[in-house]
Amino acid sequence: MKKTIAVIAGDGIGPEVMQQAERVLSAIADGYGHQFKLNHALAGGAAFDKFGSHMPEETLEVCRLSDAILFGSVGGPVSEQHQIKWKNCEANSILALRKNFKFFANFRPVRLLPELAHVCPLRYDLVKDGIDILFIRELLGDAYFGAKETTIKNGKRVASDVSSYTEDQVAQVAHVAFNAAQGRRKKVTSVDKANVLDASKLWREVVREVAANYPDVTLDEMLVDNCAMQIIREPKQFDVVVTTNMFGDILTDEAAVLAGSLGLLASASLNSEGFALYEPSGGSAPDIAGQGIANPIAQILSVALMLRFSFNLEAEARAIEVAVDTALTAGYRTRDIFAEGEKLVGSKEFTDQVLQNIPVATCKTAG
Ligand code: IPM
Ligand code: MG
């Protein structure tokens, strides 16, 4: 298979974990006889330095010409946020990409492997069997993209962000969630604030209508405040969670803690044509950038999601996931998930372990 991939490493730890993810991608290309052409492009502060923009037209063009986008992370240190280089950096880059390519569905799988149960802050008996939740966050609606205004009324500053949903927006992401649940444990939890918000009342109504098309999937409806509690009270109850843009943003950071570290979580953002962007759920972690200690797993697993969703290469995606699990089971840990008695390694050394577990040249063995 021949594919072109836009690679946007971004800022902070982005470039160093992307370098490791590229090594894994190249091992898969060798092992399975594929050709992946990588087109590197800039975003965030890195793009600002060169183009004076966080999401230059050049980068959008590279994305348009590619079969998928592999994204790192963007943003600068907290202490430098006042600099123009970092001002609105995240919003200008990643939100612009989402809007430009109409990525309406964001998959954020949260998995806790039983062997990492001790890095999860929840009580052991709640998580000892592992956790496997697929969050599907609507990505183009809500207060994120509604009308915004900052003004002065009667001499006082007022600001507003309109949060709205159309029935089509809700139905589109609901279908994605029910489809995903059919391939899993057949349960969808829809999360809203229907006791207060009109947009949530519509959300709930439309999700129910969509659910009628999937009689094999159970629909559970939950208010967001209760959901925030249930995630840490009994995470095992969740299979697929579908929710709005803002609630999804908040709940997925909360749920990330269950996996032990944000450095473990990959995500995929898809549009209706099947074009997609893959990125770690975590940020650019400027405080540890350049030291070679960042956890490369989220970026590596983003590659696996790309192979599965964009290129339909299930065996290759599984090979990466198994290779990562095997390295973890063997006790290799980056600093964020390290505990006494385990093998502390850097980004490169961890990836070396992953590479050792990737099947070598399956297609070439005959030659
Ligand atoms: C995320 C991030 C973004 C969001 C920020 C960087 C704009 O927090 O992908 O979850 O809020 O969507
Ligand atoms: Mg977020």
Side-chain angles (χ1 to χ4, degrees), residues 10-66:
D11 306 313
I13 60 168
E16 60 203 88
V17 290
M18 188 65 88
Q19 197 186 345
Q20 302 310 322
E22 286 184 29
R23 292 175 67 207
V24 174
L25 188 58
S26 137
I28 290 288
D30 290 349
Y32 291 81
H34 301 303
Q35 282 176 36
F36 299 122
K37 181 169 183 297
L38 307 187
N39 284 339
H40 293 88
L42 297 172
F48 197 89
D49 283 342
K50 185 160 177 209
F51 298 101
S53 153
H54 292 121
M55 183 44 66
E57 179 49 38
E58 284 81 351
T59 299
L60 291 173
E61 185 60 13
V62 168
C63 294
R64 275 183 217 113
L65 297 172
S66 301

Side-chain angles (χ1 to χ4, degrees), residues 48-167:
F48 197 89
D49 283 342
K50 185 160 177 209
F51 298 101
S53 153
H54 292 121
M55 183 44 66
E57 179 49 38
E58 284 81 351
T59 299
L60 291 173
E61 185 60 13
V62 168
C63 294
R64 275 183 217 113
L65 297 172
S66 301
D67 299 303
I69 305 171
L70 190 58
F71 196 83
S73 43
V74 287
V78 179
S79 60
E80 293 174 23
Q81 287 305 314
H82 57 280
Q83 293 179 15
I84 173 125
K85 172 176 175 181
W86 298 121
K87 205 161 175 269
N88 296 328
C89 171
E90 290 92 335
N92 291 346
S93 43
I94 189 67
L95 295 189
L97 270 179
R98 289 174 189 169
K99 193 170 171 184
N100 202 283
F101 293 101
K102 300 193 174 65
F103 294 131
F104 71 93
N106 180 219
F107 284 62
R108 296 192 168 180
V110 174
R111 233 166 32 108
L112 173 68
L113 303 174
E115 58 264 31
L116 285 183
H118 61 285
V119 289
C120 173
L122 293 195
R123 231 176 41 224
Y124 184 70
D125 60 297
L126 295 173
V127 299
K128 63 177 181 345
D129 303 326
I131 292 172
D132 181 5
I133 310 176
L134 174 59
F135 283 86
I136 298 183
R137 166 187 173 193
E138 198 291 327
L139 212 51
L140 291 179
D142 216 339
Y144 272 73
F145 293 101
K148 291 173 187 293
E149 189 183 40
T150 303
T151 179
I152 303 210
K153 281 187 185 134
N154 303 325
K156 297 282 182 192
R157 287 168 295 170
V158 186
S160 64
D161 306 85
V162 175
S163 159
S164 72
Y165 270 107
T166 66
E167 61 172 307

Side-chain angles (χ1 to χ4, degrees), residues 62-322:
V62 168
C63 294
R64 275 183 217 113
L65 297 172
S66 301
D67 299 303
I69 305 171
L70 190 58
F71 196 83
S73 43
V74 287
V78 179
S79 60
E80 293 174 23
Q81 287 305 314
H82 57 280
Q83 293 179 15
I84 173 125
K85 172 176 175 181
W86 298 121
K87 205 161 175 269
N88 296 328
C89 171
E90 290 92 335
N92 291 346
S93 43
I94 189 67
L95 295 189
L97 270 179
R98 289 174 189 169
K99 193 170 171 184
N100 202 283
F101 293 101
K102 300 193 174 65
F103 294 131
F104 71 93
N106 180 219
F107 284 62
R108 296 192 168 180
V110 174
R111 233 166 32 108
L112 173 68
L113 303 174
E115 58 264 31
L116 285 183
H118 61 285
V119 289
C120 173
L122 293 195
R123 231 176 41 224
Y124 184 70
D125 60 297
L126 295 173
V127 299
K128 63 177 181 345
D129 303 326
I131 292 172
D132 181 5
I133 310 176
L134 174 59
F135 283 86
I136 298 183
R137 166 187 173 193
E138 198 291 327
L139 212 51
L140 291 179
D142 216 339
Y144 272 73
F145 293 101
K148 291 173 187 293
E149 189 183 40
T150 303
T151 179
I152 303 210
K153 281 187 185 134
N154 303 325
K156 297 282 182 192
R157 287 168 295 170
V158 186
S160 64
D161 306 85
V162 175
S163 159
S164 72
Y165 270 107
T166 66
E167 61 172 307
D168 289 351
Q169 274 179 312
V170 181
Q172 194 180 27
V173 74
H175 277 293
V176 170
F178 282 96
N179 269 313
Q182 281 183 324
R184 293 173 45 102
R185 301 193 301 281
K186 299 193 168 48
K187 179 177 173 186
V188 168
T189 305
S190 169
V191 177
D192 58 42
K193 188 69 184 172
N195 54 347
V196 179
L197 305 175
D198 273 26
S200 275
K201 290 189 175 101
L202 176 68
W203 177 277
R204 194 171 275 219
E205 211 172 281
V206 176
V207 172
R208 261 185 216 178
E209 289 161 14
V210 171
N213 301 296
Y214 302 84
D216 55 328
V217 178
T218 309
L219 169 65
D220 197 14
E221 295 165 332
M222 202 177 268
L223 295 172
V224 63
D225 45 353
N226 182 29
C227 181
M229 178 174 75
Q230 296 298 335
I231 285 174
I232 51 170
R233 209 185 134 260
E234 203 202 328
K236 269 200 311 249
Q237 70 183 285
F238 297 106
D239 177 16
V240 174
V241 176
V242 64
T243 190
T244 61
N245 202 351
M246 182 68 86
F247 296 156
D249 179 42
I250 300 166
L251 293 176
T252 53
D253 261 33
E254 182 195 4
V257 176
L258 301 179
S261 164
L262 255 181
L264 297 165
L265 297 184
S267 84
S269 303
L270 287 81
N271 72 16
S272 54
E273 276 99 56
F275 185 57
L277 173 147
Y278 302 86
E279 61 175 327
S281 290
S284 59
D287 51 324
I288 58 161
Q291 301 174 40
I293 58 172
N295 191 335
I297 293 180
Q299 195 76 63
I300 292 172
L301 292 181
S302 297
V303 170
L305 288 182
M306 175 179 77
L307 297 177
R308 172 175 295 127
F309 288 141
S310 284
F311 307 154
N312 215 2
L313 296 174
E314 178 60 30
E316 289 82 340
R318 271 314 291 156
I320 295 179
E321 289 163 352
V322 169

